[in-house]
């Protein structure tokens, strides 16, 4: 027997039954699962044969052309088609396709795949439409693109009988192009059997009155849903219709663009949903939690994203969290929370996202924690003068985060942009986080078009600086742009852990906070 054959025969994964292979693959982060499996598969022929079904079980494509090619492969190869369990497509309609009025190219092929019963084992369908689908290169609104008509949903229900999870991001219509009125989506027609539902409407959609139709229709799916995510663009919808419902199996709730008018109603909802593991709020208003929240509420919660005021109300529950995103904090409120309010900090926390605003107006004395800070020596102090209370993340800030959350694997800081000089000061502090693998921050530029080659070169140099100081760091991401994918620096090291190179690429937001439900996570400034 050759050495290669002996090596393949001895590989532990080859001795495991196929169902265990799927279990192992499901434990990998959804965003990196395909690349990780592919890297393993190419190490030997036997491993490729074993891992190939896992590669096609979870298909993630991030461009319009790639999606078209992959869907063509599914049409041509019935064996591969039957392997597909999850299909995730991120698409930004190209100018060329739009001008040729050929935007239906990818969607037509997807519909063809479904109509011809090529995806009989599909469990999850995720479609994320970026701004090119509804705005032209001059940022003018477009109509007539990205339609998913009623016949699509009827064919999906018939051709994919095992479908249980649906995610639609960046969808929408207008008064001038009300295609969704006939699609049945507002009424949740043909998708009432789902266990996971995400509807994320673009900024100016849905038109007036349509959101209330969706909220009313939710009463028909309460018995099946374990995951619900709703975002209504720039609207501010009353959350009462949701909070009045009971979802017996609900584990994950994401709401954006909602307002809670009755905190007591919200607290009753939490009491009825003790199985919740994940609560994600963005651009919401009102008090979602009474202050303080009594111990014992939401005992299974491990993932929380919301405004600082609600995070503060949940202080007694924070030690159980693994993932936390805090929006709307002022000055040193988050360090104050991690170091003073919770003296033992959050040692179980793996992922932390912070949105922070410096502030020094007259009312600051009335804001808890806004004048608090910790010295580098570990002494807690209260600033006496209002004008000196103004604090950025470079002022007696990050060392408190390191002490209060010492085991985080990913950290995202949303504050002022951090240039080279600031990162040089920050790197030795971040180096004290032994498990930090991914770092996200605002570097430059609000849009992809504003980022120059010089910006990219400077960013990669800064990534190298951080990676040299932080031995576990594997990637650095600029989250300042308005749309995914983000500019990312991927770190490569030698056998001794020294940085060999940093390669620029496309990336997404924090992995862990997104859980296994979002293949294309983003990290906009977490203001609410």
């Amino acid at each position: 027997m050759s050495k290669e054959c002996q090596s393949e025969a001895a590989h532990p994964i080859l001795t495991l039954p196929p169902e265990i292979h799927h279990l192992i693959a499901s434990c990998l982060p959804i965003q990196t699962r395909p690349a990780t499996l592919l890297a393993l598969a190419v190490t030997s022929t036997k491993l490729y044969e074993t891992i190939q079904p896992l590669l096609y079980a979870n298909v993630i494509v991030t461009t319009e052309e790639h999606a078209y090619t992959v869907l063509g492969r599914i049409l041509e190869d019935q064996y591969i088609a039957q392997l597909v369990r999850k299909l995730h497509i991120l698409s930004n309609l190209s100018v060329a396709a739009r001008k040729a009025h050929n935007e239906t190219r990818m969607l037509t092929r997807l519909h063809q795949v479904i109509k011809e019963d090529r995806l009989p084992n599909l469990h999850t369908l995720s479609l994320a439409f970026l701004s090119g689908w509804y705005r032209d290169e001059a940022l003018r609104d477009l109509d007539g693109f990205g339609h998913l008509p009623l016949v699509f949903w009827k064919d999906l229900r018939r051709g994919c009988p095992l479908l249980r999870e649906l995610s639609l991001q960046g969808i929408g219509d207008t008064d001038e192009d009300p295609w969704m009125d006939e699609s049945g989506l507002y009424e949740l027609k043909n998708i009432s059997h789902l266990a996971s539902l995400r509807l994320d409407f673009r900024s100016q959609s849905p038109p007036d009155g349509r959101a209330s139709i969706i909220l009313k229709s939710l009463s028909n799916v309460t018995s099946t849903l374990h995951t619900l995510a709703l975002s209504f663009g720039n609207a501010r919808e009353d959350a009462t219709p949701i909070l009045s419902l009971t979802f017996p199996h609900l584990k994950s709730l994401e709401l954006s663009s909602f307002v809670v008018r009755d905190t007591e109603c919200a607290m009753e909802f939490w009491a009825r949903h003790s199985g919740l593991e994940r609560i994600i709020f963005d651009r919401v208003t009102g008090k979602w939690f009474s202050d303080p929240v009594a111990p014992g509420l939401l005992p299974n919660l491990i993932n929380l994203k919301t405004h600082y005021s609600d995070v503060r109300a949940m202080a007694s529950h924070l030690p159980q969290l693994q993932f936390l995103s805090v929006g709307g904090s002022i000055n040193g409120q988050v360090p104050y929370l991690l170091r003073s309010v919770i003296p033992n900090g959050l040692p179980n926390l793996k992922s932390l996202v912070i949105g922070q605003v410096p502030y020094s107006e007259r009312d600051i004395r009335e804001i808890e924690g806004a004048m608090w800070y910790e010295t580098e020596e570990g002494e807690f102090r209260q600033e006496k003068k209002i004008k000196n209370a103004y604090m950025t993340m470079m002022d007696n800030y990050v060392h408190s985060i390191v002490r209060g959350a010492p085991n985080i694997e990913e950290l995202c800081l949303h504050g002022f942009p951090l240039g080279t000089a600031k990162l040089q000061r920050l790197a030795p502090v971040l180096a004290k986080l032994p498990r930090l693998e991914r770092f996200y921050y605002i570097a430059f530029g609000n849009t992809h078009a504003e980022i120059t080659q010089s910006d990219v070169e400077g960013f990669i140099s800064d990534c190298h600086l951080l990676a040299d100081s932080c031995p576990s760091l594997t990637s650095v991401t600029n989250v300042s742009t308005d749309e995914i994918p983000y500019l990312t620096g991927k770190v490569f090291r030698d056998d001794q852990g020294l940085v060999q190179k940093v390669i620029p690429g496309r990336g997404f937001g924090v992995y862990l906070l997104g859980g296994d439900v979002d293949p294309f996570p983003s990290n906009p400034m977490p203001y609410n």
Side-chain angles (χ1 to χ4, degrees), residues 142-158:
L142 295 169
D143 289 325
F145 299 94
H147 291 190
L148 297 167
L150 178 60
V151 64
F152 175 88
W153 300 108
K154 287 183 175 180
D155 287 338
L156 182 68
R157 181 68 184 266
R158 178 194 54 78

Side-chain angles (χ1 to χ4, degrees), residues 123-158:
H123 177 273
T124 301
L125 177 62
S126 171
L127 301 175
F129 299 105
L130 299 182
S131 60
W133 285 85
Y134 51 88
R135 290 199 185 106
D136 65 13
E137 55 273 27
L139 300 182
R140 293 171 298 206
D141 290 339
L142 295 169
D143 289 325
F145 299 94
H147 291 190
L148 297 167
L150 178 60
V151 64
F152 175 88
W153 300 108
K154 287 183 175 180
D155 287 338
L156 182 68
R157 181 68 184 266
R158 178 194 54 78

Side-chain angles (χ1 to χ4, degrees), residues 26 28-30 33 86 165 278 511-512 514-519:
S26 68
L28 298 171
I30 188 173
R33 192 177 302 163
K86 299 184 178 184
E165 298 183 354
R278 189 169 179 268
Y511 290 169
L512 300 177
D516 199 42
V517 297
D518 189 357

Side-chain angles (χ1 to χ4, degrees), residues 248-269:
H249 308 292
L250 195 64
K251 292 184 177 181
S252 176
L253 178 65
E254 294 185 47
L255 297 178
S256 178
S257 308
F258 280 87
V259 56
V260 61
R261 306 189 188 283
D262 185 347
T263 302
E264 183 176 348
C265 179
M267 294 302 295
E268 292 173 354
F269 180 85

Side-chain angles (χ1 to χ4, degrees), residues 360-362 364-365 371 384-390:
S360 59
E361 299 300 324
R362 288 182 176 274
I364 194 172
R365 294 188 187 278
M371 300 183 72
K384 293 185 172 63
K385 296 182 179 180
I386 291 177
K387 66 178 182 178
N388 294 336
Y390 187 94

Side-chain angles (χ1 to χ4, degrees), residues 232-452:
F232 290 131
N234 293 332
R236 278 292 185 271
E237 293 296 327
D238 185 356
T240 303
I242 295 177
L243 299 177
S244 62
L245 298 174
T246 299
F247 301 82
H249 308 292
L250 195 64
K251 292 184 177 181
S252 176
L253 178 65
E254 294 185 47
L255 297 178
S256 178
S257 308
F258 280 87
V259 56
V260 61
R261 306 189 188 283
D262 185 347
T263 302
E264 183 176 348
C265 179
M267 294 302 295
E268 292 173 354
F269 180 85
W270 306 133
R272 294 197 306 274
H273 295 85
S274 59
L276 272 167
E277 299 173 2
R278 189 169 179 268
I279 297 174
I280 306 294
F281 290 151
D282 189 28
R283 289 179 288 132
V284 298
T285 54
K287 288 286 293 180
W288 294 78
F289 298 94
S290 60
D291 191 2
V293 174
L297 190 74
L298 299 172
N300 297 311
L301 187 67
I302 59 172
N303 190 324
L304 177 64
K305 175 183 178 180
T306 189
H307 190 273
Y308 175 81
S309 60
D310 281 323
V311 172
R312 177 65 180 88
M314 289 283 287
S316 64
H317 293 65
L318 299 187
Q320 73 191 50
L321 299 184
Q322 295 182 21
F323 323 106
L324 174 64
S325 179
V326 186
S329 70
I330 295 173
N331 295 339
Q333 283 187 317
V334 174
Y336 163 75
L337 181 64
L338 298 183
R339 298 288 288 150
S340 182
V341 177
I342 310 173
N344 294 326
L346 303 179
N348 296 321
L349 203 65
K350 296 181 179 180
S351 178
L352 178 60
V353 180
I354 304 173
Q356 185 258 13
V357 178
Y359 188 76
S360 59
E361 299 300 324
R362 288 182 176 274
D363 63 343
I364 194 172
R365 294 188 187 278
E366 308 302 319
I367 303 175
E368 181 192 17
M371 300 183 72
W372 182 97
Y373 69 97
E374 179 183 11
T375 67
E376 291 187 6
E377 294 73 29
E379 183 181 352
F380 296 173
R381 293 183 180 178
Q382 194 79 9
E383 184 56 61
K384 293 185 172 63
K385 296 182 179 180
I386 291 177
K387 66 178 182 178
N388 294 336
Y390 187 94
M391 176 189 291
T392 71
M393 289 184 171
M394 297 304 298
D395 305 314
N396 289 312
Y397 195 98
V398 178
H399 59 250
S400 296
I401 302 300
V402 170
R403 293 163 184 166
N407 297 313
I408 51 176
E409 299 171 18
E410 53 186 18
L411 174 64
C412 179
L413 300 179
H414 271 290
F416 287 162
L418 300 176
T420 301
K422 292 180 179 178
L423 291 174
Q424 286 175 335
R425 291 172 50 199
L426 196 61
V429 185
L430 294 178
K432 297 177 182 179
L433 291 169
R435 301 183 182 179
L436 184 66
E437 296 182 12
R438 295 172 293 278
F439 180 60
Y440 307 78
Y441 74 104
I442 294 178
F444 43 70
N446 294 318
T447 67
H448 291 290
E450 294 175 349
I451 299 178
T452 66

